[in-house]
């Protein structure tokens, strides 16, 4: 790892221990990443640390003879050299740093920004701390293994939670915050976080439950109302299983989806299904 630069919008460090760690790269459009990170930071009274990762593998490949790059926009192919790749990295880092600071200047959110060189997942996992929410964009993974996203979540095991951005579509904050829970077996901290985010967006929440036992819906509804806000602003929607819940997400059009998964539910298929159906950041919180 090589840390290239560290800059801060304000002098000094926030006394608040919560931090949103936003991972940037040169491949993805990071405007949705910045907007989601800013919403989370405002809702949770946290600071933001932007981390731009220069992909070391891409740099090494660009140094090889006859190296070529394919532009995602038009699929055109061009020859590329290492110095060109370094300029592309520098341009992208400068752009996302400038955009992050410009958006934060209209808020009270403290922001810092650093540039590192290495592998996207490895550097974010190295940087993450126990009180962090790490916002990641899977489009920045240059080598997409079949289980790349679930491995990404597992790698950032030190953080309180990982927020995975959808790879297609523009993120919006107009929809409800959806808490996805299996029956009534969920920690209240998840509802507390959802309530804070909901209060910073549209003020609406949905508790989407699966595998609810008969007669328990009233208790779940009472708990949701006490933790997420007034009963008028909280809906409880039941689904038989995760597949049905994913179908409901496409109808709800959420701003965030929050899940505290068990190992049994966290598969690549499940994550992709929830991201594609909700088209919203998927927050995976760790138990405890």
């Amino acid at each position: 790892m090589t840390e290239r630069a560290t800059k801060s919008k304000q002098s000094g460090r926030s006394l608040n221990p919560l931090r949103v760690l936003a991972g940037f790269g040169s491949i993805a459009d990071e405007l949705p990443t910045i907007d989601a990170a800013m919403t989370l930071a405002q809702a949770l009274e946290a600071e933001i640390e932007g981390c731009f990762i220069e992909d070391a593998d891409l740099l090494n490949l660009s140094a090889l003879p006859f190296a070529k790059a394919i532009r995602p926009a038009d699929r055109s192919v061009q020859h590329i050299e290492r110095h060109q790749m370094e300029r592309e990295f520098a341009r992208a880092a400068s752009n996302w740093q400038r955009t992050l600071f410009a958006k934060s200047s209209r808020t009270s959110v403290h922001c810092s920004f650093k540039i590192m060189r290495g592998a996207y997942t490895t550097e974010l996992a190295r940087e993450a701390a126990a009180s962090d929410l790490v916002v990641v964009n899977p489009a920045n993974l240059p080598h997409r293994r079949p289980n790349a996203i679930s491995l990404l979540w597992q790698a950032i095991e030190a953080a309180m939670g990982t927020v995975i951005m959808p790879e297609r579509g523009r993120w919006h904050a107009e929809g409800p915050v959806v808490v996805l829970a299996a029956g009534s077996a969920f920690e209240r901290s998840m509802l507390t976080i959802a309530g804070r985010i909901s209060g910073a967006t549209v003020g609406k929440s949905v508790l989407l439950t699966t595998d609810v036992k008969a007669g328990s819906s009233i208790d779940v509804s009472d708990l949701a109302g006490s933790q997420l806000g007034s009963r008028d602003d909280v809906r409880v929607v039941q689904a038989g299983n995760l597949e049905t819940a994913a179908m409901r997400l496409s109808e709800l059009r959420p701003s965030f989806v929050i899940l505290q998964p068990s190992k049994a539910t966290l598969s690549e298929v499940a994550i992709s299904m929830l991201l594609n159906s909700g088209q919203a950041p998927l927050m995976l919180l760790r138990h405890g």
Side-chain angles (χ1 to χ4, degrees):
M1 176 190 72
T2 303
E3 185 174 312
R4 296 279 304 283
T6 302
K7 298 182 181 180
S8 175
K9 190 193 80 167
Q10 302 174 14
S11 60
R13 182 178 175 84
S14 170
L15 297 178
N16 195 303
L18 291 179
R19 182 177 67 163
V20 176
L21 184 64
F24 302 135
S26 61
I27 300 175
D29 175 9
E30 304 292 9
L31 280 174
T33 305
I34 292 174
D35 288 338
M38 195 65 61
T39 298
L40 291 173
Q42 290 179 286
L44 302 175
E45 298 179 355
E47 63 181 41
I48 296 177
E49 179 170 314
C51 291
F52 183 91
I53 294 91
E54 296 180 339
D55 191 288
D57 287 341
L58 289 179
L59 276 176
N60 293 334
L61 286 173
S62 66
L64 297 175
F66 312 112
K68 296 179 181 180
I70 301 176
R71 292 186 178 277
D74 56 9
R75 309 302 295 174
S76 61
V77 179
Q78 67 176 79
H79 293 282
I80 192 165
E81 298 178 356
R82 184 183 176 94
H83 66 87
Q84 291 176 284
M85 186 67 73
E86 289 176 336
R87 286 201 299 268
E88 290 289 335
F89 284 164
R91 187 180 300 112
S94 177
N95 178 54
W96 299 131
Q97 177 189 321
R98 185 170 58 250
T99 304
L100 174 65
F101 286 179
K103 286 181 176 288
S104 67
S105 67
R106 300 188 287 270
T107 73
S108 59
V109 175
H110 174 275
C111 289
S112 59
F113 191 93
K114 63 173 58 177
I115 301 172
M116 298 178 291
R117 182 171 295 177
Y120 186 77
T121 300
T122 302
E123 298 309 317
L124 288 178
R126 196 195 310 272
E127 187 70 19
S131 60
D132 288 347
L133 282 175
V134 185
V135 183
V136 297
N137 194 329
N140 287 313
L141 299 173
H143 310 296
R144 291 299 296 272
R145 298 169 60 180
N147 57 343
I149 301 179
S150 57
L151 288 175
L152 176 63
W153 182 78
Q154 293 168 21
I156 309 177
E157 60 182 356
M160 174 176 67
T162 302
V163 182
I164 303 173
M165 298 298 298
E167 294 185 58
R168 292 182 297 275
R170 302 291 296 179
W171 178 77
H172 60 91
E174 289 77 26
V177 175
V178 175
V179 177
L180 182 57
S184 56
F186 48 82
E187 297 177 13
R188 296 195 177 197
S189 60
M190 181 170 65
L191 297 183
T192 301
I193 289 174
R196 295 280 295 276
I197 298 172
S198 175
T201 53
V202 296
K204 300 290 184 180
S205 303
V206 175
L207 179 61
L208 181 56
T209 62
T210 63
D211 306 318
V212 177
K213 295 180 180 179
S216 64
S217 59
I218 296 178
D219 294 336
V220 171
S221 181
D222 289 341
L223 177 59
S226 66
Q227 296 293 313
L228 291 173
S230 69
R231 291 288 296 272
D232 294 337
D233 293 330
V234 180
R235 289 174 58 196
V236 177
V237 178
Q238 296 185 14
N241 51 44
L242 195 62
E243 289 76 13
T244 307
M247 293 175 61
R248 299 304 301 267
L249 284 179
S250 63
E251 302 168 2
L252 293 168
R253 297 179 59 81
S255 57
F256 282 90
V257 178
I258 302 177
L259 171 65
Q260 204 162 31
S262 65
K263 291 183 179 179
T265 61
L266 188 67
S267 67
E268 191 77 14
V269 172
I271 293 175
S272 298
M273 182 172 57
L274 295 174
L275 284 170
N276 292 333
S277 298
Q279 284 297 298
L282 175 62
M283 180 185 295
L284 301 174
L285 293 175
R286 298 191 181 277
H287 289 274

